């Protein structure tokens, strides 16, 4: 029994030493990773969605952004984009009346049509 307890007594400091060494190495690599993270070059972020409200008078640029197309796009692409965006935001499908009116206004603006004063809101 004394041999077993003496081997346990010797193993305990060894395990503690290994644990301290592992902790020190993890800390070292953690600090190095943090320093590399802080000194990395800033990568420009590309925003997928426009973060702003609507303009008082709709421009061609705003209309293109609403529909997700370029400003100089063919009429069939405008109609296709309008259909896709309207399906996602239609009031009958849980969308907003206001957004639907802005989507329709954007389509009309890009197609060169006019519906009176624009948005109903």
């Amino acid at each position: 029994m004394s041999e077993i307890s003496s081997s346990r007594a010797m193993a305990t400091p060894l395990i503690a030493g290994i644990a301290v060494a592992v902790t020190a190495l993890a800390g070292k690599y953690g600090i190095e990773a943090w320093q590399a993270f802080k000194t990395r070059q800033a990568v420009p972020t590309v925003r997928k969605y426009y973060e702003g409200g609507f303009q008082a008078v709709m421009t061609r640029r705003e209309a293109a952004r609403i529909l997700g197309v370029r400003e100089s796009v063919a009429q069939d692409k405008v109609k296709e984009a309008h259909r896709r965006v309207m399906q996602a935001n239609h009031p009958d499908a849980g969308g907003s009346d206001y957004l639907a009116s802005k989507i329709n206004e954007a389509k009309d603006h890009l197609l060169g049509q006019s519906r009176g004063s624009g948005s109903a809101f």
Side-chain angles (χ1 to χ4, degrees), residues 73-82 111:
V73 66
Q75 287 188 355
D76 60 328
K77 295 289 183 183
V78 170
K79 291 176 184 176
E80 183 180 309
H82 172 264
L111 293 178

Side-chain angles (χ1 to χ4, degrees), residues 27 42-43 66 107 120:
V43 177
I66 290 171
K107 179 193 77 157

